[in-house]
Amino acid sequence: MVLPLLTEFDHGISAIDAQFHRPYRAAIHLLVEQDRAVLIDTGTNFSIPGVIDILKLKRIPFENIAYIILTHIHLDHAGGAGECMRLFPNAKLVVHPRGASHMINPTRLVAGASSVYGVEEFKRVYGEIQCIDAHRIVEAPDNHCIDLNGRLLRFLDTPGHARHHVCIYDERSQSMFTGDTFGVSYRELDVNGMEFVFPTTSPVQFDPDAAHASLDRIMSFKPQFAYLTHYSRITHLKQHANAMHRLIDAHVAIAQNANTPQSNRQSIISEGLKALFEQHLSVHGCRLSETEVSQVLRSDIKLNAQGLVYWLDHSTERFKSI
């Protein structure tokens, strides 16, 4: 048996590698308090066997999983939720109110993701998305709290990346589980303990004003750490929050400069983002080669460019799609 990568932190927090495309791309966070446990994000269906192996390694009975928490319902975060609910009989699924109906009936969610990735690629990456019994779903509006054996988890409504996004503040560890709201930070890009963090503007709900406001909301709690789904714990949060604000504005400027008639906007935006990241990584002191950086960031640049094109086309509308 080959176990997924596992990183242990203080306060009963662990990061389980979701084995999504490559190591250290997506984390499933396990939080244990006495005899109860929580999973924050699930990865895909293909991530769950690894989760099971880690639970067995840690001798955590399936019956002790109290909650499956989704930061949002994009399928690299929520694709394995149905399988988790099938396996863990006492678990409740906790999700933003805007996401609950799509967990009960994922038809639109699957259609939207398939339109981005293509039907065959969708099936290869995500498999079959299962419906979840409405009676096992807990909707978590802003400031909703759950009590895990006296350990309070507070939910914050944090749009910007998606309108169905929550972040979770853990009072015990003074940490924030941020999904994609605090951006993406891959451990390969760390330099002498300093992380490189950048926004994710993937389709279809990027909203720069909301993203700025959500960052400020997160920082108002003065968290010591942020646990990102891509990838796990980061420090230096004041510095990263300031950088994220600047990089969100830079993404917007690149998109707006590419928004000319008959231009290949996605290609122009992709090149602009590539140059932006190269510049910031150079200042950061990144030691990876250009080829290695491209391997790490290629997918994110593509998705960010797609999301920015969508934002250009819809930024004046009050759209309601997931």
Side-chain angles (χ1 to χ4, degrees):
M1 179 176 65
V2 179
L3 292 171
L5 296 166
L6 176 68
T7 309
E8 302 277 13
F9 302 103
D10 296 334
H11 303 287
I13 299 170
S14 307
I16 304 169
D17 195 295
Q19 304 174 86
F20 183 65
H21 294 308
R22 61 175 176 82
Y24 293 120
R25 185 168 187 208
I28 299 164
H29 286 105
L30 172 67
L31 192 157
V32 179
E33 184 64 30
Q34 300 173 49
D35 64 343
R36 302 180 81 202
V38 165
L39 290 170
I40 300 178
D41 286 340
T42 68
T44 72
N45 278 316
F46 304 115
S47 306
I48 306 308
V51 172
I52 291 169
D53 289 341
I54 294 299
L55 293 178
K56 290 178 178 178
L57 177 71
K58 288 177 166 288
R59 298 181 180 179
I60 298 173
F62 290 2
E63 292 79 9
N64 289 17
I65 304 297
Y67 297 102
I68 306 297
I69 296 173
L70 303 180
T71 59
H72 59 301
I73 62 172
H74 291 167
L75 292 175
D76 53 330
H77 298 252
E83 180 67 359
C84 283
M85 298 303 286
R86 185 183 72 81
L87 290 168
F88 307 138
N90 297 327
K92 295 285 189 180
L93 183 79
V94 190
V95 63
H96 191 289
R98 290 183 182 274
S101 64
H102 299 288
M103 292 289 96
I104 298 166
N105 180 358
T107 301
R108 286 183 59 207
L109 183 62
V110 170
S114 297
S115 70
V116 173
Y117 296 101
V119 174
E120 292 305 315
E121 180 67 5
F122 174 87
K123 289 181 179 178
R124 184 186 72 81
V125 174
Y126 299 109
E128 296 295 326
I129 306 303
Q130 302 176 40
C131 301
I132 296 173
D133 185 346
H135 294 96
R136 297 183 67 190
I137 293 179
V138 176
E139 296 186 10
D142 192 46
N143 278 318
H144 178 81
C145 293
I146 61 175
D147 185 316
L148 188 71
N149 280 338
R151 184 172 185 165
L152 195 67
L153 303 178
R154 182 179 300 275
F155 289 74
L156 311 179
D157 186 7
T158 51
H161 174 75
R163 295 176 70 207
H164 45 78
H165 202 298
V166 295
C167 291
I168 302 97
Y169 182 65
D170 172 28
E171 291 190 352
R172 177 68 53 83
S173 66
Q174 295 182 297
S175 298
M176 193 75 72
F177 293 85
T178 61
D180 286 347
T181 298
F182 209 95
V184 171
S185 180
Y186 296 126
R187 302 285 61 80
E188 298 98 319
L189 303 178
D190 292 355
V191 176
N192 296 329
M194 175 58 73
E195 309 94 352
F196 176 70
V197 183
F198 61 93
T200 171
T201 63
S202 56
V204 295
Q205 291 186 347
F206 172 60
D207 180 338
D209 292 338
H212 284 303
S214 290
L215 276 173
D216 289 340
R217 180 88 189 282
I218 288 169
M219 292 305 295
S220 73
F221 282 76
K222 298 180 172 58
Q224 290 191 11
F225 305 105
Y227 288 88
L228 285 56
T229 301
H230 312 285
Y231 184 88
S232 203
R233 193 171 83 172
I234 62 169
T235 55
H236 311 98
L237 298 191
K238 288 184 179 179
Q239 183 172 336
H240 291 318
N242 290 333
M244 279 283 290
H245 283 302
R246 293 193 297 270
L247 285 169
I248 290 167
D249 289 339
H251 276 64
V252 168
I254 288 169
Q256 291 174 332
N257 289 337
N259 196 27
T260 58
Q262 285 83 46
S263 69
N264 185 345
R265 294 179 300 170
Q266 185 169 324
S267 177
I268 295 171
I269 291 170
S270 293
E271 288 302 313
L273 294 179
K274 183 173 180 289
L276 176 70
F277 292 150
E278 287 175 352
Q279 174 192 353
H280 281 264
L281 283 169
S282 176
V283 173
H284 178 59
C286 179
R287 301 183 183 94
L288 298 184
S289 69
E290 184 176 337
T291 299
E292 290 170 323
V293 169
S294 177
Q295 290 173 343
V296 172
L297 296 182
R298 183 186 298 115
S299 178
D300 292 282
I301 289 173
K302 178 181 178 181
L303 287 171
N304 277 16
Q306 289 175 334
L308 289 168
V309 169
Y310 191 95
W311 172 75
L312 287 171
D313 290 339
H314 298 83
S315 58
T316 60
E317 299 178 11
R318 292 181 176 272
F319 58 96
K320 297 182 179 180
S321 60
I322 62 169

